[in-house]
Amino acid sequence: MNAIPLSGLARRLVKDALLSEEAAQEAFQSASTEKMPFVSYLISEGLCDSGAIAAAASDEFGAPLFDLVSFNMEMAPKELVDIKLIQQHHTLPLYRRGNRLFIAVSDPTNLRALDEIKFHTGINTDAVLVDEALLSEAIAKYVEANDEPLGGFDDLEDGLDDLDIEAVDEDGGGEAEQGGDIDETPIVRFVNKVLIDAIKSGASDIHFEPYEKSYRVRFRTDGILTEVTRPPMTLSGRLAARLKVMSQMDISERRLPQDGRIKMKLSKKRAIDFRVNTLPTLFGEKVVLRILDPSSAQMGIDALGYEPEQKEMYMHALKQPQGMILVTGPTGSGKTVSLYTGLNILNEPEVNISTAEDPVEINLEGINQCHVNPKVGLTFAEALRSFLRQDPDVIMVGEIRDLETAEISIKAAQTGHMVMSTLHTNSAAETITRLMNMGVPAFNVATSVSLIIAQRLARRLCSECKEPADIPKETLLAEGFTEADLEEATLMKPVGCSKCSSGSKGRVGIYEVVRITDEISRIIMEGGNSIEIGDKARAEGFNDLRRSALMKAAQGLISLEEVNRVTKD
């Protein structure tokens, strides 16, 4: 790592012996890479006490330390500074005096934040020095009070028949005019309430299902389908018609599947998209809505559940000027979020990023997203050819499905581009053999693919009610734990409480991250199969999915039953 000349706060921390020069250099570099404020990185990594940093900053810059504990947050100006700007720069507007806005910061050298807030508000800004730990807490409270992330649901439920819902034109990508005339207030209210309840419960999908003598609605929450209501069977046709009108489909067509999209505005700052598909069944049309929450693409890599060494490998691969990163796993395993997280890390003004997706799930500002449409000849391969004529730096292909797409992706990765894509395989090793089975020469695979991530999503144990699991040592060893694991393991089991669903709340990623080393490349070029590649990867220290899941169980994040559910052969 090249030494960076230390200045400002970093230099003061070294001078006061709060950090070694080497630690300060490394922290500064890592914070820059992960797009985190320097002070926030120090606190999150436990490298320095927030109070000591605040005191050092106060001495270095001659700025008095403001006590956020005694500050009444009700006095903070509302809607003057965009919430995204506050979160991005980790700052907080405190008060305004005339044409001056006073901004709480933990690092007075963060001039870019002050300049950007001044640009957006048109008001001169002054920095107010505060303790980083107190600032993080204050920002969280401010965002919760002002952003309404789930959008004032009590108010929404009072006006269920006039929610701000729009259809989205799948071909043009813009908003479409609503069609049809399904103006039945009870149906409108029922459908809107189902959509709101699904968002509130954290569901990923909603299923409207007609049967011969019944009709049911189910939510998929944390990967598991649960029945939530059984409306009268007589409403089957009207419910399907209402959903089709909302998503700009042809309500007269009941014989063929259709696709559409709905946008629901929950507040001024938050909207949720639904991808809608209808399927003619024996007793009517089944309608499934996939909930597309833009905030899931902004979680940051630390929220995804990578182990430290896995995160380091992913970040290192993203920094490379060329190569191919492949994310693999079954449908619903979180591949899109992993790719979007990587794209967000790479998304800088000087980087040209283009994606080809089927369909585009979440709109990302600053990234050129293309919705493939095979009906008019816009396939993944055709989109890729066009990208290569538009001076790209980073290309994301929604999925490599055929030899033509694979070949163009490989050539792009070999000619100075970073390429990211997905495949539907069960492990990292199988991804290699899948490409070769498609017809890609082994040499091209070995020299272009730089990293493979195989992943699953496991139900995270509820932190409120989980309790220690009493499992015999012999059983744990048979499951794959080592003696060393058991010395520090904290195995837990689900219980269930009012705040969770049967003992689980949310999900966490389970990952197999494999870097293509020289030895693995040699096996690929010699025509080795997935078993040989997998054995070599484990021998080189890359954890497979089973091992990664066991580590999550040892940390008390998931249960042993969940390990077996997501990694069973």
Side-chain angles (χ1 to χ4, degrees):
M1 182 187 299
N2 294 328
I4 302 172
L6 295 177
S7 60
L9 183 57
R11 182 182 59 202
R12 180 61 186 237
L13 294 175
V14 173
K15 181 180 177 182
D16 289 354
L18 294 172
L19 274 180
S20 67
E21 184 163 352
E22 182 181 353
Q25 294 270 6
E26 187 174 336
F28 195 85
Q29 182 87 9
S30 298
S32 175
T33 301
E34 298 186 26
K35 299 183 180 178
M36 286 180 67
F38 176 60
V39 176
S40 300
Y41 182 84
L42 293 178
I43 304 300
S44 67
E45 296 295 316
L47 298 174
C48 210
D49 177 69
S50 64
I53 294 175
S58 179
D59 288 343
E60 176 70 15
F61 301 102
L65 194 58
F66 185 82
D67 184 11
L68 271 179
V69 175
S70 60
F71 180 70
N72 182 3
M73 290 302 299
E74 291 296 320
M75 298 176 63
K78 307 292 190 296
E79 299 186 0
L80 189 58
V81 181
D82 190 86
I83 292 288
K84 290 181 180 178
L85 211 56
I86 290 172
Q87 294 175 312
Q88 177 186 347
H89 293 299
H90 202 67
T91 58
L92 186 65
L94 294 177
Y95 51 90
R96 178 179 180 178
R97 287 181 184 165
N99 196 36
R100 303 203 76 80
L101 182 62
F102 292 84
I103 307 291
V105 297
S106 55
D107 182 356
T109 63
N110 189 5
L111 300 179
R112 179 184 172 191
L114 299 177
D115 290 342
E116 200 159 332
I117 291 173
K118 177 182 177 181
F119 175 79
H120 281 84
T121 61
I123 304 171
N124 293 322
T125 55
D126 285 328
V128 176
L129 182 62
V130 297
D131 185 309
E132 163 66 19
L134 298 177
L135 178 60
S136 296
E137 186 178 333
I139 290 174
K141 289 179 179 178
Y142 182 88
V143 170
E144 183 179 357
N146 294 283
D147 189 33
E148 299 184 54
L150 288 178
F153 278 107
D154 293 337
D155 294 338
L156 284 176
E157 292 186 7
D158 288 340
L160 286 171
D161 31 344
D162 58 357
L163 270 177
D164 192 354
I165 295 175
E166 302 164 346
V168 176
D169 181 0
E170 284 286 286
D171 295 327
E175 296 168 1
E177 293 293 327
Q178 287 281 7
D181 185 20
I182 309 298
D183 187 16
E184 301 179 66
T185 300
I187 295 293
V188 170
R189 289 179 60 85
F190 176 78
V191 171
N192 290 351
K193 187 176 189 309
V194 169
L195 301 188
I196 292 169
D197 288 345
I199 299 168
K200 288 171 69 176
S201 66
S204 61
D205 301 86
I206 310 170
H207 294 241
F208 291 83
E209 302 171 313
Y211 296 97
E212 183 177 11
K213 297 180 180 180
S214 64
Y215 191 97
R216 69 178 177 182
V217 179
R218 292 191 291 173
F219 294 167
R220 185 178 294 279
T221 307
D222 296 339
I224 305 297
L225 275 170
T226 307
E227 183 177 312
V228 291
T229 185
R230 278 184 176 263
M233 180 60 195
T234 54
L235 298 182
S236 171
R238 284 182 284 173
L239 287 172
R242 171 59 186 164
L243 290 164
K244 289 163 76 173
V245 166
M246 292 169 68
S247 50
Q248 196 65 17
M249 296 181 190
D250 181 357
I251 62 172
S252 65
E253 177 57 76
R254 300 184 183 91
R255 299 165 299 173
L256 295 173
Q258 296 187 66
D259 290 294
R261 202 169 173 117
I262 300 170
K263 180 187 289 289
M264 176 187 281
K265 292 185 178 178
L266 301 177
S267 68
K268 292 180 181 178
K269 302 181 178 70
R270 179 85 181 272
I272 300 288
D273 284 355
F274 298 83
R275 194 176 75 217
V276 188
N277 176 266
T278 66
L279 176 70
T281 66
L282 199 57
F283 301 105
E285 289 179 285
K286 174 176 178 177
V287 186
V288 177
L289 290 79
R290 165 64 57 89
I291 301 175
L292 307 172
D293 186 354
S295 64
S296 65
Q298 307 288 341
M299 289 193 301
I301 194 167
D302 290 319
L304 299 185
Y306 286 95
E307 296 298 329
E309 64 276 7
Q310 294 177 332
K311 170 188 165 184
E312 186 178 339
M313 283 190 283
Y314 191 16
M315 295 294 293
H316 181 267
L318 288 170
K319 292 178 197 173
Q320 304 309 304
Q322 66 182 54
M324 180 180 282
I325 298 174
L326 296 173
V327 183
T328 179
T331 301
S333 60
K335 299 188 298 295
T336 301
V337 173
S338 284
L339 284 177
Y340 280 0
T341 300
L343 290 176
N344 274 321
I345 291 171
L346 295 171
N347 190 10
E348 296 282 3
E350 62 270 19
V351 180
N352 179 19
I353 304 176
S354 295
T355 75
E357 305 172 61
D358 182 20
V360 174
E361 294 196 351
I362 296 172
N363 177 38
L364 299 175
E365 186 72 25
I367 293 176
N368 309 292
Q369 295 172 276
C370 171
H371 181 101
V372 300
N373 188 351
K375 293 178 184 177
V376 298
L378 182 55
T379 62
F380 280 122
E382 192 58 38
L384 273 171
R385 289 192 188 93
S386 181
F387 290 168
L388 292 174
R389 294 191 289 269
Q390 294 208 339
D391 184 32
D393 297 302
V394 180
I395 295 171
M396 194 270 271
V397 188
E399 183 183 351
I400 294 178
R401 298 174 178 169
D402 51 55
L403 177 59
E404 185 180 21
T405 306
E407 286 180 334
I408 300 172
S409 300
I410 292 284
K411 288 176 183 176
Q414 292 174 333
T415 54
H417 306 92
M418 168 58 67
V419 179
M420 305 172 72
S421 189
T422 71
L423 278 89
H424 284 90
T425 58
N426 292 323
S427 67
E430 289 179 32
T431 304
I432 297 293
T433 53
R434 172 69 60 83
L435 287 172
M436 292 193 289
N437 289 339
M438 282 184 183
V440 180
F443 175 79
N444 283 341
V445 175
T447 55
S448 59
V449 178
S450 54
L451 190 78
I452 303 175
I453 302 172
Q455 65 181 79
R456 303 288 187 276
L457 289 177
R459 287 176 291 176
R460 185 192 294 266
L461 288 169
C462 174
S463 59
E464 299 290 332
C465 64
K466 65 181 179 181
E467 61 182 35
D470 185 17
I471 305 173
K473 180 179 179 180
E474 295 74 18
T475 302
L476 296 177
L477 291 173
E479 290 285 356
F481 287 101
T482 65
E483 292 281 358
D485 293 334
L486 298 181
E487 291 177 6
E488 300 181 1
T490 309
L491 289 161
M492 309 294 281
K493 65 180 181 181
V495 177
C497 67
S498 60
K499 295 185 178 181
C500 68
S501 173
S502 303
S504 62
K505 189 173 183 180
R507 290 191 285 181
V508 63
I510 307 295
Y511 303 95
E512 175 187 14
V513 181
V514 176
R515 181 169 49 83
I516 306 303
T517 63
D518 293 341
E519 284 299 308
I520 293 176
S521 293
R522 181 181 59 78
I523 293 175
I524 294 171
M525 288 190 282
E526 290 174 356
N529 57 36
S530 60
I531 296 175
E532 294 170 324
I533 295 170
D535 288 343
K536 175 53 70 174
R538 286 187 290 274
E540 296 204 7
F542 302 122
N543 291 334
D544 59 15
L545 285 167
R546 176 74 181 181
R547 179 65 188 160
S548 294
L550 290 172
M551 290 175 68
K552 288 289 189 295
Q555 296 164 16
L557 296 176
I558 65 176
S559 66
L560 187 57
E561 291 80 8
E562 190 68 2
V563 171
N564 289 323
R565 186 183 75 85
V566 298
T567 64
K568 61 186 177 184
D569 296 329

